[in-house]
Amino acid sequence: MRATAVILLVVCLLDFGHAWNCKEIKFKNLRQIDAGIGQVVATDTSQIPYYLVGDELIRLPGALSHITVGPAGIWGVNEAYAIYKYVAGNWVQAAGLLKQVDAGGDPFIVGANMNDGPFCLRSGATVGYKGPDSPLPWTGLTGLVKYYSCGPFICWAVNKDDDIFIMNLKPDCQNGGWTQIGGKLSMIEVASDGSVFGANSNGDVYTRDGITASKPEGTGWTQIPMCLKIKHVTYDLGRLWAISTSGVTMLCTN
């Protein structure tokens, strides 16, 4: 399987290099990766969290199933759904339970719990959180989502049926509810510049076209050719990071 993945990756570079120049990088068996505001964090299949320094993934303490970085700082959750913020070189546990968390809001955070319930933590609480004595007023939102990500314009989410939704969410967690967007994705990520990327259940990668501050929902989806089946993507500062279902990590630019 590993040899097949490498051969396919070489073919992919030859076939699609004119659009996206992708290369395999040495990070093996990553489970999830998140890029934001010039930083990159990741977790592997052993739930080890990492922070990218140069070309090396530096191991962070603890064990996490999902990690995120953005204006609200570095946050993560573990297999027991416990929530943590990275403070002064250590993980500080926060109240609540989430299976997935995103720090891309400006600078609020959002996430989904084990029952697909969406939550938001307002900006004042995220930046100022430093330990159990800090207030942590989570706001429950309507609807059900399994994966939830925010950027500078709006938030995007997908549900258990891979339906796609957007929400105009304010830093104080006030919002106008969900609006469905055409298409199907199993995960979705919003970049620091508002760009949106996602992967579907078939391992295909898509990006949203036409996103601007005045039209944050964009205009349509464009598939990004990938020879490997992709399970997770993230994008920041012109770099698209992709993890294949076979455990290959790629870095793509266009």
Side-chain angles (χ1 to χ4, degrees), residues 121-135:
L121 184 62
R122 59 181 175 80
S123 58
T126 61
V127 175
Y129 187 76
K130 56 185 178 181
D133 294 332
S134 301

Side-chain angles (χ1 to χ4, degrees), residues 190-210:
V190 186
S192 300
D193 64 358
S195 301
V196 175
F197 292 80
N200 66 14
S201 59
N202 295 322
D204 302 319
V205 176
Y206 288 85
T207 183
R208 188 71 175 176
D209 301 321

Side-chain angles (χ1 to χ4, degrees), residues 112-187:
N113 69 10
M114 67 290 289
N115 299 314
D116 289 354
F119 285 83
C120 170
L121 184 62
R122 59 181 175 80
S123 58
T126 61
V127 175
Y129 187 76
K130 56 185 178 181
D133 294 332
S134 301
L136 212 60
W138 290 101
T139 299
L141 305 176
T142 60
L144 296 172
V145 300
K146 66 177 180 180
Y147 202 104
Y148 192 6
S149 183
C150 295
F153 306 137
I154 55 174
C155 299
W156 294 71
V158 295
N159 66 11
K160 64 180 180 61
D161 297 318
D162 293 349
D163 297 321
I164 306 167
F165 296 87
I166 59 172
M167 174 183 281
N168 185 4
L169 190 62
K170 304 299 183 183
D172 62 358
C173 296
Q174 296 298 309
N175 64 88
W178 296 104
T179 299
Q180 188 168 354
I181 297 292
K184 293 279 188 177
L185 292 173
S186 57
M187 63 80 56

